[in-house]
Amino acid sequence: MSGPTPTRKARLGARFVRRRITAGAAAVGLLALVSFGVSRVAGLVGGDRADAASSRTSLPVAVRTTAAAARDARPLVRAPRPSPTVAQGAVGASSAETALVRTMRLTGDLTPKSVVASPAGVVVAQNMMYRHSVSAFRADGALLATIDDSVDLGAFGIKGHPGTTRGAPVEAAFTRDGRHAWVSNYSMYGAGYGPEGLDSCRAGDGTSTSTVYRVDTSTFAIDRVVEVGAVPKYVAVTPDDRTVLVTNWCSWDLSVIDVASNRQVARIPLGGTYPRGIVVSPDSRTAYVALMGSDRIVTVDLRTRAVRPFATTGDGPRHIVLSPDARYLYVTNNGSGTVSKLERATGRVLATTHVGTQPRSLAIARDGKALYSVNYESSSVSKLRTSDLTVMQTVPTDQHPIGITYEPTRKAVWVACYGGSILVFDDSRRPVA
């Protein structure tokens, strides 16, 4: 068969050129649009952020952008179909009048020690040394990424540990815009590190120091590594996003990380054993730290680094949350089986309620009307009214619930069960009579 004539070839060539020009113009336009969008986001992230009070009524633009990216991301595993176990009623006006209804059970390569939601609808579960990973989910339960904890510490400027080193992700905290998550590692595994830490330990016993990672939630890559103390547990980011705080279980102190210089700038002895939960005042000046080896909460002045007594709550205070208006602190007392409500201005204990055996982590609804406590040995979640700590509901879970978070975009409560599952409860609707 003969080919096209020279005239036809010329026409085809011209048509091809026109198509290439059109495609090129479209690509240039698209690049310009993307560049404009990126510059807008960069400007918003780098500029002044809204006050905490206004953020409760509408998400900042940077958070909405991150939320849209999470919603549109292609998941590794699709979202399961929600399957409520009981009928759901009308949408409630506040969390004080709604009821927990389980809608999802997530499994597969999970041993979650904690679960934490960002303001933008990304939820991360930290799987410790049992899986050496962080699992990142979309708010609808779709698996977005499995983040391996292997790093080359030399690439992050940390000397003395050649080759590949592995971590053990235990807790996480998001920046205010949700673009980054800081993750603590119970221990590090590789050249230059000794045996892993133990639950029973003491300052100066030779337990190796560890690190925290920073994870970029747009790429799910570890982009920073910072050395901290021995067996870091809880991690908190100050509201101004300038400082990261880490409680070190086995060195009995608080690591202070300066975000701008990406380094630990202080290790503050806390005057007590086994520090864990942290919350920070809205002005980023005061940290409240639970000393789980005692019955005490202490304050840390983040400017002078002075440590002072604040409150006595019960045996084994573990986790602390702050009310949205910053007037109250709520604390789980692991040994006492209770939750306490404290006045932040004075440290006075206003109420204490029994919830179950070994309450571990605590979460608060975005409207501040309800609390959620996971009870480790009772295998349950208790929902409490914040005004008077009345237990409104107790629901069963899988064995050993240990972590909990409130996911604000769907008004859902995520529960990490140490045995290998995450349960998701809807808390947006009134109970059916």
Side-chain angles (χ1 to χ4, degrees), residues 100-191:
L100 294 168
V101 174
R102 198 178 102 182
T103 59
M104 288 185 283
R105 183 175 186 268
L106 308 176
T107 59
D109 212 27
L110 292 170
T111 53
K113 176 73 169 181
S114 66
V115 62
V116 182
S118 82
V122 173
V123 182
V124 292
Q126 288 57 245
N127 295 309
M128 294 280 284
M129 71 288 292
Y130 310 112
R131 293 291 185 272
H132 284 294
S133 67
V134 174
S135 301
F137 297 91
R138 203 164 57 193
D140 63 2
L143 179 65
L144 294 175
T146 299
I147 305 160
D148 190 281
D149 66 12
S150 299
V151 291
D152 177 358
L153 291 174
F156 293 95
I158 298 173
K159 299 179 180 179
H161 306 283
T164 299
T165 302
R166 309 201 77 178
V170 55
E171 291 278 0
F174 285 93
T175 53
R176 188 175 176 185
D177 58 15
R179 295 183 65 84
H180 295 99
W182 289 86
V183 179
S184 57
N185 287 290
Y186 187 96
S187 289
M188 301 301 289
Y189 301 84

Side-chain angles (χ1 to χ4, degrees), residues 258-346:
D258 175 65
V259 173
S261 62
N262 193 45
R263 65 187 183 92
Q264 178 183 250
V265 294
R267 291 260 298 275
I268 303 173
L270 293 167
T273 61
Y274 305 132
R276 210 178 193 292
I278 312 168
V279 293
V280 183
S281 60
D283 61 8
S284 299
R285 294 181 178 180
T286 305
Y288 302 82
V289 182
L291 301 180
M292 195 171 169
S294 68
D295 58 2
R296 297 183 294 121
I297 310 294
V298 297
T299 61
V300 180
D301 186 317
L302 296 177
R303 294 170 298 176
T304 66
R305 297 171 185 167
V307 178
R308 297 183 177 89
F310 177 69
T312 299
T313 59
D315 182 28
R318 184 183 189 273
H319 197 110
I320 315 175
V321 296
L322 183 67
S323 63
D325 62 8
R327 292 180 61 191
Y328 306 106
L329 302 176
Y330 302 93
V331 182
T332 54
N333 302 301
N334 181 74
S336 302
T338 58
V339 172
S340 296
K341 178 179 181 177
L342 285 68
E343 185 175 56
R344 189 173 75 89
T346 64

